């Protein structure tokens, strides 16, 4: 977690590091890249909208540079 904040009554904004390992096919445009087994770490942001009066997420929107994961994997 890098930062967290509120945007109005029902929306939470989060900035974080997304980490993972390339274990399955990755589609970039029309190109499919077979698993490399390499790990990655990219900075992301997301907004989460909650149903009023509940802790139920009704919408999530993730934001990141599309080429960042490919760059981290050395592709």
């Amino acid at each position: 977690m890098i930062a967290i904040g509120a945007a109005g009554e029902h929306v939470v904004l989060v900035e974080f590091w997304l980490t993972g390992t390339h274990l399955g096919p990755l589609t970039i445009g029309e190109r499919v890249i077979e698993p490399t087994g390499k790990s990655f770490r990219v900075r992301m942001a997301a907004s989460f909208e909650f149903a009023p009066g509940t802790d139920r997420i009704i919408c999530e929107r993730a934001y990141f540079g599309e080429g960042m994961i490919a760059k981290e994997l050395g592709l």
Side-chain angles (χ1 to χ4, degrees), residues 23-75:
L23 298 176
L26 176 63
T27 302
I28 300 176
E30 294 183 19
R31 184 176 164 206
V32 176
I33 300 160
E34 294 305 316
T36 62
K38 294 180 182 177
S39 62
F40 62 88
R41 180 177 187 245
V42 296
R43 194 172 191 147
M44 289 188 64
S47 67
F48 298 91
E49 183 179 352
F50 292 83
T54 74
D55 60 356
R56 191 179 60 135
I57 296 172
I58 58 174
C59 182
E60 174 190 356
R61 292 183 179 94
Y63 302 92
F64 65 99
E66 292 182 7
M68 291 173 62
I69 293 175
K71 183 178 177 182
E72 281 288 305
L73 294 172
L75 305 174

